[in-house]
Amino acid sequence: MSQTALSTRTGNSPFSSALLSFVGVALAGLGGVALYFMSIEPLMSIAAARSWTPAVCTIESSAVKQRDGRRYSVVIAYSYAFHGKLFHSDRYNFLTCPSSLHGWRDRVVAGYPPGLVATCYVNPRRPSQAVLNRDLHPDILWGQCSGPPLVIPLLSFLIGLALLGGSVWSRRRERQMAWGVLSQVNASDRRPGQLSIHDGSIRLEPEIRRATQALDRFYGAAIWNGGLACLVYWVYARAVAGRLSWFEVLFLLSLLPFLIFGLTVVGEFGSSLLAIFAPEPILRLSRPAIPLGGKAVLSWSIDGRWHRLQSFSIRLKATEQVRSSQRFRSRQNQFHDQLVVERTRFDGLPGGTCVLTIPTDTMHSFKSKHNSIVWQLSVEERIAPRPPVRADYPIQVTPHE
């Protein structure tokens, strides 16, 4: 049979692991730099100021400075003597830029009237540096500038890390498919180290492990709902400051579909977390590669609390996958689906054997840059009242012997 896929090959796809790495580094770098200057650097300054020397200072003036009609900052000018020299400063705390919250700023200015004798903290190494308040303020944690608090740099950083992780996983997956079960295998001309149809039996491994799937969904739920939480908090902060307008109300209503989707993602993470504790199927094939028209013995068993299972099934599936660079999407066509194992009652230890027969008029396993033929065993476990637990175990199908 020809060594080409069933579909026509397409052009080069721009979505490569190298592009994912470049975009991931750019987003994570920009987001990390913004996070550093907006929150990390002020936190480091607060920690360093714990060792500064207290000094007596005199308040010269205090006011809430308004910028652009929407942003506010505290400006308190004071003088202090340190080692016999007179210094001046106007730093109240370590916030680096103003924000739209002005209520607490009004209270601070009211507590520091001109002429008040207060305590400031001086950097002994650089006496010109001083601060009145070295405590942690919520504005540092939620972002200090106007706009959604930390949402842009935080999402940029997290999405960048996710893209880098996806790039690493993609490269690893490509190597596995190049040498593993999804590789194009020719028994007469195979690479060193590749499996032959005459090698011994093998234990099949799932395409995605349960812990890995739960971790991936955790990252997705954290990134999605973390960004939404920042946006909701921004609207809440505007409401507390008395600056809530119709725009913020409409903006919050427009977030409802995204909030519902966020709850769905959290539910999927919960399901994948429960799947970790479900009984684990163990599948073994009598040969690591099955030729078209050939047969292999499948042995299966269930490790764990199998008595909780309501049903257990294994299906043999074959799918053609086409990644199109013209429409920037993937298409799948399942051309084989066969039920090979189905159990609803278990007597003694659960397990058994069956014979897998690969139809002779189908296509063998194939992998190229844009097209692939994937053969796999799909396992489904049902445990009431939990959602079904599914896993795919790729197998290798070679051309005719």
Side-chain angles (χ1 to χ4, degrees):
M1 183 173 289
S2 175
Q3 299 280 339
T4 57
L6 297 178
S7 58
T8 305
R9 295 184 61 177
T10 58
N12 293 331
S13 172
F15 298 106
S16 62
S17 57
L19 180 62
L20 285 179
S21 299
F22 174 78
V23 176
V25 170
L27 291 178
L30 293 175
V33 170
L35 284 174
Y36 175 80
F37 286 106
M38 292 178 66
S39 289
I40 298 178
E41 185 184 35
L43 290 174
M44 294 173 61
S45 300
I46 290 174
R50 293 298 177 183
S51 60
W52 288 8
T53 305
V56 177
C57 63
T58 303
I59 306 300
E60 298 177 348
S61 63
S62 60
V64 176
K65 186 176 181 180
Q66 185 176 4
R67 301 182 182 181
D68 302 331
R70 299 181 60 184
R71 299 183 297 167
Y72 305 89
S73 60
V74 173
V75 179
I76 301 178
Y78 52 94
S79 59
Y80 58 95
F82 193 79
H83 292 332
K85 294 183 179 180
L86 184 64
F87 295 92
H88 296 271
S89 178
D90 60 357
R91 168 168 284 181
Y92 169 69
N93 57 14
F94 290 102
L95 296 178
T96 57
C97 63
S99 70
S100 59
L101 302 179
H102 64 85
W104 68 268
R105 291 182 169 89
D106 293 334
R107 294 190 294 270
V108 167
V109 170
Y112 286 92
L116 177 69
V117 177
T119 300
C120 60
Y121 302 92
V122 183
N123 185 354
R125 296 183 179 181
R126 298 183 62 182
S128 60
Q129 291 183 349
V131 66
L132 283 172
N133 189 322
R134 57 182 180 179
D135 296 331
L136 180 65
H137 194 277
D139 270 14
I140 296 178
L141 299 177
W142 290 100
Q144 309 153 43
C145 303
S146 60
L150 290 184
V151 62
I152 295 178
L154 180 61
L155 285 180
S156 176
F157 181 72
L158 293 178
I159 292 175
L161 291 182
L163 291 179
L164 285 176
S167 173
V168 173
W169 182 88
S170 176
R171 292 181 180 181
R172 182 180 178 183
R173 184 62 180 160
E174 288 292 334
R175 289 195 297 267
Q176 290 177 345
M177 288 190 296
W179 293 90
V181 296
L182 298 183
S183 302
Q184 175 184 351
V185 177
N186 192 321
S188 61
D189 183 18
R190 61 187 180 98
R191 301 170 183 171
Q194 280 187 309
L195 297 174
S196 167
I197 59 176
H198 305 293
D199 294 335
S201 64
I202 61 169
R203 174 173 172 173
L204 300 179
E205 298 294 337
E207 184 177 14
I208 302 179
R209 295 186 178 275
R210 294 175 179 179
T212 302
Q213 187 179 48
L215 191 62
D216 291 342
R217 291 182 176 179
F218 170 77
Y219 286 147
I223 293 174
W224 185 271
N225 292 282
L228 289 177
C230 292
L231 295 174
V232 172
Y233 177 82
W234 174 63
V235 176
Y236 169 76
R238 299 274 296 178
V240 171
R243 303 185 62 86
L244 190 65
S245 63
W246 283 105
F247 172 78
E248 281 80 9
V249 174
L250 294 176
F251 177 72
L252 185 60
L253 292 177
S254 67
L255 290 179
L256 289 178
F258 300 95
L259 293 173
I260 296 175
F261 179 76
L263 294 177
T264 304
V265 174
V266 173
E268 292 180 352
F269 165 67
S271 299
S272 61
L273 192 62
L274 291 175
I276 297 178
F277 305 97
E280 182 180 2
I282 299 176
L283 309 182
R284 295 192 67 89
L285 272 182
S286 60
R287 58 201 304 187
I290 312 174
L292 291 174
K295 298 181 179 181
V297 177
L298 171 66
S299 303
W300 61 275
S301 61
I302 302 176
D303 184 22
R305 293 181 289 182
W306 51 267
H307 58 275
R308 304 177 59 187
L309 292 176
Q310 287 187 323
S311 64
F312 176 86
S313 64
I314 303 177
R315 307 188 73 90
L316 175 63
K317 296 181 179 181
T319 305
E320 177 186 17
Q321 300 177 353
V322 181
R323 291 172 292 279
S324 173
S325 61
Q326 299 175 352
R327 297 183 179 181
F328 303 104
R329 63 180 183 179
S330 299
R331 293 183 291 110
Q332 293 187 353
N333 175 36
Q334 183 173 294
F335 59 89
H336 185 77
D337 186 356
Q338 176 187 358
L339 180 64
V340 294
V341 174
E342 185 175 24
R343 289 285 184 87
T344 56
R345 295 182 59 184
F346 301 94
D347 298 327
L349 293 177
T353 60
C354 63
V355 177
L356 293 182
T357 302
I358 305 299
T360 187
D361 58 347
T362 54
M363 181 65 180
H364 56 79
S365 299
F366 176 84
K367 175 69 175 66
S368 69
K369 189 174 183 180
H370 308 287
N371 308 85
S372 62
I373 301 295
V374 180
W375 286 84
Q376 60 190 11
L377 294 172
S378 296
V379 179
E380 179 181 278
E381 299 175 332
R382 291 185 177 272
I383 308 174
R386 302 179 184 178
V389 179
R390 300 182 177 90
D392 294 326
Y393 293 75
I395 63 174
Q396 183 175 276
V397 175
T398 63
H400 294 277
E401 293 182 296

